[in-house]
Amino acid sequence: MTDRELDAAGITDPALRAAYTRCRTLNARHGRTYFLATRLLPAARRPAVHALYGFARRADDIVDDLGATATPGERADALDALHQRLRSGLRGARTGEPVVTALADTAARYAIGPALFSDFMRSMRSDLTVTDYATYAELRRYMHGSAAVIGLQMLPVLGTVVPRATAEPYAADLGVAFQLTNFLRDVGEDLDRGRVYLPADLLAAHGVDRDLLGWSRATGHRDPRITAALTDAEALTRRVYTAAAPGIELLDPVSRPCVRTAFVLYGEILDAIAADGYAVLHRRAVVSDRRRAAVALRGFTGALFARGRARLRTAPPPSPAPVASASASVGSGRGAA
């Protein structure tokens, strides 16, 4: 399937194909929902999505998984080196970094501006020193680089039926909605890394602070104040989904099933969190494989329908029959009658 995607995208250089294949492997391994939704795009557009994901994953791995003994300074140096390779790659240089090679090619193909990648790297670097956010406004500023720009990077690949600028606010909100969902799902894991992504003022409104979260995580005990705060965070996240939803209809019809599937599946992570009693400090809420398959099947049906309509719109009209032949046919019919 990888070769078919690369062939469809017109990616023929062996080194470039290997770079895109590496990104696809990262997407399949680490981004289950993201990868599943990507399968609903036309084959020619999938490599670009894999490249965007692969680079983001590489940066995230430096921040969180570079090695248990890596210091913040070593992580910062690694991020800086990745960013420098990215700058070089976007200028056309060979960097030897597969995710950068694929990303630079995608950026050139889809005219994705370098500022979006710089904003992303800035937020990744802040994760090395910033461990919490006083207000939602502060968190949104961080999420511009960590989430909103992902939606903006994706938009040229997905295509739109309106001027791109019209669709951009919705794409940015959708990226934020997905990340807020991950923040809520991963509260416990993020706390283990020393970070709290839920706004401190939202937590404080329910009498919750970092110490209470840490106590609950360490002891396994529940607290109604935490449940109330998490419920409030879920409601906040759903409001962002509501703001983002109209943007789906602004996309190229062949891309809508992909984004709609991701929209539904990420939203159902919130459903799973609520159904599990907001126990995210103690275990990860998941959407069942059966449910994921059902949503994906519905998306696949929609994708086939959209591609069929697209082919009809682009097919050349049938050639009219030559006048002489038409006359002969009419004359012949009359004679037979």
Side-chain angles (χ1 to χ4, degrees), residues 14 38 48 51 53 56 64 67 102-104 110 127 136 171 224 245 258 260 277 313 319:
T38 301
Y53 181 92
D64 288 331
L103 183 72
Y110 290 95
D127 273 332
Y136 181 57
C258 162
R260 191 174 291 113
R313 286 195 299 270
S319 301

Short mmCIF file of all heavy atoms in Angstrom, two decimals, residues 14 38 48 51 53 56 64 67 102-104 110 127 136 171 224 245 258 260 277 313 319:
data_model
loop_
_atom_site.label_atom_id
_atom_site.label_comp_id
_atom_site.label_asym_id
_atom_site.label_seq_id
_atom_site.Cartn_x
_atom_site.Cartn_y
_atom_site.Cartn_z
N PRO A 14 14.21 7.44 -4.90
CA PRO A 14 14.29 6.38 -3.88
C PRO A 14 14.53 6.91 -2.47
O PRO A 14 13.92 6.42 -1.51
CB PRO A 14 15.47 5.52 -4.37
CG PRO A 14 15.53 5.75 -5.84
CD PRO A 14 15.13 7.17 -6.05
N THR A 38 -6.41 8.96 8.20
CA THR A 38 -5.62 9.26 7.01
C THR A 38 -5.89 8.25 5.90
O THR A 38 -5.82 8.59 4.71
CB THR A 38 -4.12 9.27 7.35
OG1 THR A 38 -3.87 10.26 8.35
CG2 THR A 38 -3.26 9.57 6.14
N ALA A 48 1.79 13.15 2.29
CA ALA A 48 1.99 14.46 2.90
C ALA A 48 1.54 14.47 4.36
O ALA A 48 2.20 15.05 5.22
CB ALA A 48 1.23 15.52 2.10
N ALA A 51 4.08 12.76 6.40
CA ALA A 51 5.26 13.60 6.61
C ALA A 51 5.03 14.61 7.72
O ALA A 51 5.90 14.82 8.58
CB ALA A 51 5.63 14.32 5.31
N TYR A 53 2.91 14.36 10.19
CA TYR A 53 2.87 13.63 11.46
C TYR A 53 4.26 13.17 11.88
O TYR A 53 4.64 13.28 13.05
CB TYR A 53 1.94 12.41 11.36
CG TYR A 53 1.86 11.65 12.67
CD1 TYR A 53 0.87 11.93 13.59
CD2 TYR A 53 2.80 10.66 13.00
CE1 TYR A 53 0.80 11.26 14.81
CE2 TYR A 53 2.76 10.00 14.20
CZ TYR A 53 1.75 10.30 15.10
OH TYR A 53 1.71 9.64 16.31
N ALA A 56 6.32 15.96 13.42
CA ALA A 56 5.80 16.34 14.73
C ALA A 56 6.13 15.27 15.76
O ALA A 56 6.47 15.57 16.92
CB ALA A 56 4.28 16.56 14.65
N ASP A 64 9.96 14.20 25.07
CA ASP A 64 9.48 13.27 26.09
C ASP A 64 10.20 11.92 26.14
O ASP A 64 10.18 11.27 27.18
CB ASP A 64 7.99 12.99 25.87
CG ASP A 64 7.14 14.19 26.24
OD1 ASP A 64 7.55 14.96 27.13
OD2 ASP A 64 6.07 14.37 25.64
N GLY A 67 15.31 9.68 26.07
CA GLY A 67 16.09 8.79 26.94
C GLY A 67 15.92 9.25 28.38
O GLY A 67 15.88 10.44 28.65
N ALA A 102 11.19 14.39 4.14
CA ALA A 102 9.81 14.26 3.71
C ALA A 102 9.02 15.54 3.96
O ALA A 102 8.22 15.98 3.12
CB ALA A 102 9.15 13.08 4.42
N LEU A 103 9.24 16.15 5.11
CA LEU A 103 8.51 17.37 5.44
C LEU A 103 8.85 18.50 4.47
O LEU A 103 7.97 19.23 4.01
CB LEU A 103 8.81 17.81 6.87
CG LEU A 103 8.02 19.04 7.32
CD1 LEU A 103 6.56 18.67 7.54
CD2 LEU A 103 8.60 19.63 8.59
N ALA A 104 10.12 18.67 4.17
CA ALA A 104 10.53 19.74 3.25
C ALA A 104 9.90 19.53 1.88
O ALA A 104 9.46 20.50 1.23
CB ALA A 104 12.05 19.78 3.15
N TYR A 110 2.99 21.69 -1.31
CA TYR A 110 1.71 22.28 -0.90
C TYR A 110 1.84 23.74 -0.44
O TYR A 110 0.88 24.29 0.09
CB TYR A 110 1.08 21.43 0.21
CG TYR A 110 0.58 20.10 -0.31
CD1 TYR A 110 1.38 18.96 -0.23
CD2 TYR A 110 -0.67 19.99 -0.91
CE1 TYR A 110 0.93 17.73 -0.71
CE2 TYR A 110 -1.12 18.77 -1.39
CZ TYR A 110 -0.32 17.65 -1.29
OH TYR A 110 -0.77 16.44 -1.76
N ASP A 127 7.98 23.16 26.24
CA ASP A 127 7.67 22.00 27.07
C ASP A 127 8.85 21.60 27.96
O ASP A 127 8.67 20.86 28.93
CB ASP A 127 7.27 20.81 26.20
CG ASP A 127 5.78 20.80 25.87
OD1 ASP A 127 5.00 21.34 26.67
OD2 ASP A 127 5.42 20.26 24.82
N TYR A 136 -6.62 29.64 30.69
CA TYR A 136 -6.88 29.05 29.39
C TYR A 136 -6.27 29.90 28.28
O TYR A 136 -5.79 29.36 27.27
CB TYR A 136 -8.38 28.89 29.17
CG TYR A 136 -8.74 28.26 27.85
CD1 TYR A 136 -8.26 27.01 27.49
CD2 TYR A 136 -9.59 28.93 26.96
CE1 TYR A 136 -8.58 26.44 26.27
CE2 TYR A 136 -9.92 28.36 25.74
CZ TYR A 136 -9.42 27.11 25.40
OH TYR A 136 -9.75 26.55 24.19
N ALA A 171 -9.85 25.14 10.95
CA ALA A 171 -8.78 24.14 10.99
C ALA A 171 -7.95 24.30 12.25
O ALA A 171 -7.56 23.30 12.88
CB ALA A 171 -7.89 24.29 9.75
N PRO A 224 -14.05 14.06 44.59
CA PRO A 224 -15.11 14.69 43.79
C PRO A 224 -14.72 16.04 43.22
O PRO A 224 -15.25 16.46 42.19
CB PRO A 224 -16.27 14.81 44.80
CG PRO A 224 -15.65 14.70 46.15
CD PRO A 224 -14.48 13.80 45.97
N ALA A 245 -16.55 22.53 14.06
CA ALA A 245 -17.35 21.64 13.21
C ALA A 245 -17.75 22.24 11.86
O ALA A 245 -17.68 21.53 10.84
CB ALA A 245 -18.60 21.19 13.98
N CYS A 258 -12.34 11.80 5.85
CA CYS A 258 -11.17 11.66 6.72
C CYS A 258 -11.30 12.52 7.96
O CYS A 258 -11.16 12.04 9.09
CB CYS A 258 -9.91 12.03 5.94
SG CYS A 258 -8.46 12.39 6.96
N ARG A 260 -13.97 14.09 9.14
CA ARG A 260 -15.16 13.78 9.92
C ARG A 260 -14.93 12.53 10.79
O ARG A 260 -15.38 12.47 11.94
CB ARG A 260 -16.36 13.58 8.99
CG ARG A 260 -17.69 13.51 9.73
CD ARG A 260 -18.86 13.46 8.75
NE ARG A 260 -19.04 14.72 8.04
CZ ARG A 260 -18.85 14.89 6.74
NH1 ARG A 260 -18.46 13.87 5.98
NH2 ARG A 260 -19.04 16.07 6.17
N GLY A 277 -16.00 7.53 34.32
CA GLY A 277 -16.05 8.28 35.56
C GLY A 277 -14.91 9.26 35.74
O GLY A 277 -14.56 9.60 36.87
N ARG A 313 -17.28 14.65 -11.81
CA ARG A 313 -17.13 16.08 -12.07
C ARG A 313 -15.97 16.36 -13.02
O ARG A 313 -16.01 17.33 -13.77
CB ARG A 313 -16.91 16.84 -10.76
CG ARG A 313 -18.15 16.97 -9.90
CD ARG A 313 -17.95 18.04 -8.83
NE ARG A 313 -16.84 17.72 -7.95
CZ ARG A 313 -16.96 17.02 -6.82
NH1 ARG A 313 -18.14 16.55 -6.45
NH2 ARG A 313 -15.90 16.78 -6.06
N SER A 319 -18.52 12.76 -26.36
CA SER A 319 -18.46 13.43 -27.66
C SER A 319 -19.78 13.24 -28.39
O SER A 319 -20.35 12.14 -28.41
CB SER A 319 -17.33 12.85 -28.49
OG SER A 319 -16.09 13.01 -27.84
#
